[in-house]
Amino acid sequence: MNKLYASQLSQHLQQQLAGCYLVFGEEPLQKQDCLDQIRVKARQQGFDERQQFRLEAQFDWEPVFSAMQSLSLFSSRQIIELDLQAQKLTAATGKELKQLFDLLHPDTLLLLHGERSPAEISKLSWVKALPKDSVLLSIYPLDDQQFQKWLQQQLRQAGIQFSPDASQLFLHHCSGNLLAARQNLDKLLLTFGPCSLDEPALADFLADQSSFSVFQLSDALLAGQQQQAFHRLQRLLGQDEEPTLLCWQLHREVQNLLQLQQGTMAERAGLFKQLGIWPKRQPLYQQALQRLPLNWLHYILQELASFDRQFKGGQLTQLPLALTHLCSLFLAPVPKAFSLQRYEQR
């Protein structure tokens, strides 16, 4: 089985079309684009009919097996699609899928897709039973740099030009939400056609649709990016993100920083590996280590513990303020004019 990322699919399809594709990930727009690319390539090679199935509770597998074993009524080649959605893939499901793989033949393209993590899917036993020329396509959310690159490509294709300020505004409003970004670009093209837009014109058009994860908040805090961090926190609170999850992520980052700060420079490479911090994120930790001394990291840990006690005890009356305070502690050591511990002791 071959493993590819979404960005590698176009080049792969220029060279070949596999008999079976697995497309998994939680980023809906990239996933849909990849499925469309595979379908277009398949139609070019004579796969003119498509049968679709969706895995649900009490799923009847018989129509899928019948489709795999029968020739198309309208063409000599057909695509069989099975949407596994976000379903937990049990051993019984794996057994049925293994039997499907045995029925693969050159006139049938099997396309499986779902919302579960590619890393999780790749470990399942039925995936390991796939034919060697099958492809597992992994879909991951774009980071800030990848998002900017994607945006520039979309703008070129649409014939739209943003001023530098307009580009920053668009990123601010849609960062982390690829589907919202695409929808806004489509609406811009329908409204104005190919055009040039400055910040005031774009501001009248946009609504704030950015969506972030706790991990993206962590990245901004480690990098010391105050504006981005508070914007991401605001959006997370608007998404009703569980406060305990936010606190848990901050606690995890402090623990990592403490271990790195206590080690020597020579030991850091080994510590990064031990803590499971990928090379791509290591510069973020290096920036935080330069700003935050050991005693300040211990203070953050104490404040996090105080937040946890007060939250679980129902004592926090201004939750957004408390979380903003915790995030601000990652940006730089400041005078301890406000302290959750002091508030707790009242």
Side-chain angles (χ1 to χ4, degrees):
M1 180 183 64
N2 301 310
K3 296 183 179 180
L4 299 175
Y5 295 109
S7 60
Q8 298 172 304
L9 178 62
S10 178
Q11 183 177 0
H12 160 81
L13 291 174
Q14 290 176 14
Q15 300 171 356
Q16 60 181 304
L17 180 69
C20 178
Y21 287 91
L22 283 72
V23 184
F24 283 89
E26 300 176 356
E27 209 299 305
L29 182 61
Q30 287 188 90
K31 180 168 168 280
Q32 188 60 51
D33 282 348
C34 288
L35 291 172
D36 288 343
Q37 287 184 59
I38 294 169
R39 292 167 186 148
V40 168
K41 181 67 174 181
R43 283 197 296 270
Q44 291 172 352
Q45 296 197 9
F47 291 86
D48 295 324
E49 186 177 350
R50 184 172 127 211
Q51 297 196 54
Q52 299 174 275
F53 304 92
R54 177 173 292 184
L55 183 66
E56 297 174 325
Q58 308 301 319
F59 182 69
D60 182 6
W61 287 90
E62 185 57 36
V64 186
F65 283 99
S66 296
M68 288 289 291
Q69 295 177 81
S70 63
L71 292 175
S72 167
L73 295 175
F74 305 104
S75 67
S76 60
R77 315 185 90 182
Q78 62 178 336
I79 304 171
I80 306 296
E81 284 192 29
L82 178 56
D83 183 356
L84 302 176
Q85 305 186 81
Q87 298 281 347
K88 185 175 181 180
L89 302 178
T90 64
T93 300
K95 183 179 179 181
E96 301 285 0
L97 290 170
K98 285 182 181 178
Q99 294 181 46
L100 275 185
F101 302 153
D102 292 336
L103 299 175
L104 282 170
H105 56 83
D107 292 330
T108 299
L109 171 64
L110 182 60
L111 184 53
L112 308 177
H113 53 92
E115 300 169 17
R116 302 193 75 85
S117 159
E120 175 189 348
I121 292 297
S122 64
K123 296 176 183 177
L124 298 176
S125 60
W126 59 266
V127 174
K128 298 173 183 177
L130 282 162
K132 290 183 178 180
D133 66 340
S134 300
V135 173
L136 172 60
L137 196 62
S138 300
I139 311 294
Y140 292 103
L142 302 183
D143 61 26
D144 289 347
Q145 186 175 3
Q146 291 169 332
F147 186 89
Q148 291 186 44
K149 184 177 179 181
W150 175 88
L151 175 60
Q152 293 305 317
Q153 181 183 34
Q154 297 296 312
L155 290 172
R156 283 195 299 271
Q157 291 176 356
I160 296 174
Q161 291 184 336
F162 283 166
S163 70
D165 287 343
S167 181
Q168 287 302 311
L169 178 65
F170 191 91
L171 290 169
H172 176 81
H173 281 274
C174 296
S175 181
N177 192 339
L178 210 62
L179 187 58
R182 170 66 69 79
Q183 290 171 343
N184 275 317
L185 289 173
D186 288 345
K187 287 190 290 184
L188 278 171
L189 193 58
L190 285 171
T191 304
F192 301 111
C195 61
S196 297
L197 293 174
D198 58 13
E199 182 182 13
L202 187 62
D204 290 338
F205 190 85
L206 291 175
D208 194 337
Q209 300 172 81
S210 53
S211 173
F212 296 101
S213 70
V214 293
F215 305 106
Q216 290 170 305
L217 172 61
S218 289
D219 285 353
L221 291 173
L222 291 171
Q225 298 170 332
Q226 177 178 320
Q227 183 177 355
Q228 291 91 329
F230 288 157
H231 177 240
R232 293 176 184 188
L233 174 63
Q234 180 187 26
R235 296 300 298 162
L236 284 167
L237 292 173
Q239 294 162 209
D240 294 325
E241 188 65 70
E242 177 60 44
T244 52
L245 179 60
L246 288 169
C247 191
W248 172 85
Q249 181 64 23
L250 297 179
H251 186 274
R252 181 171 177 266
E253 299 297 7
V254 176
Q255 293 284 17
N256 286 343
L257 289 167
L258 276 169
Q259 291 192 55
L260 291 165
Q261 197 69 280
Q262 289 169 338
T264 65
M265 292 296 293
E267 293 172 333
R268 280 189 185 171
L271 285 171
F272 278 130
K273 185 175 181 180
Q274 179 183 324
L275 295 170
I277 299 171
W278 298 350
K280 187 177 181 179
R281 297 190 75 230
Q282 290 173 15
L284 299 176
Y285 286 89
Q286 298 284 17
Q287 292 177 57
L289 291 168
Q290 291 174 10
R291 295 193 316 272
L292 308 175
L294 196 60
N295 62 342
W296 187 257
L297 292 172
H298 282 295
Y299 175 68
I300 298 177
L301 208 56
Q302 293 164 7
E303 287 289 273
L304 285 165
S306 179
F307 173 90
D308 186 60
R309 290 190 296 267
Q310 292 182 64
F311 178 75
K312 291 177 179 176
Q315 298 173 299
L316 285 175
T317 57
Q318 299 186 52
L319 182 61
L321 178 61
L323 287 168
T324 301
H325 164 69
L326 291 175
C327 288
S328 70
L329 299 179
F330 283 79
L331 300 173
V334 295
K336 301 174 185 178
F338 174 82
S339 168
L340 288 172
Q341 299 168 74
R342 189 180 308 159
Y343 179 83
E344 184 180 10
Q345 292 166 4
R346 291 179 181 176

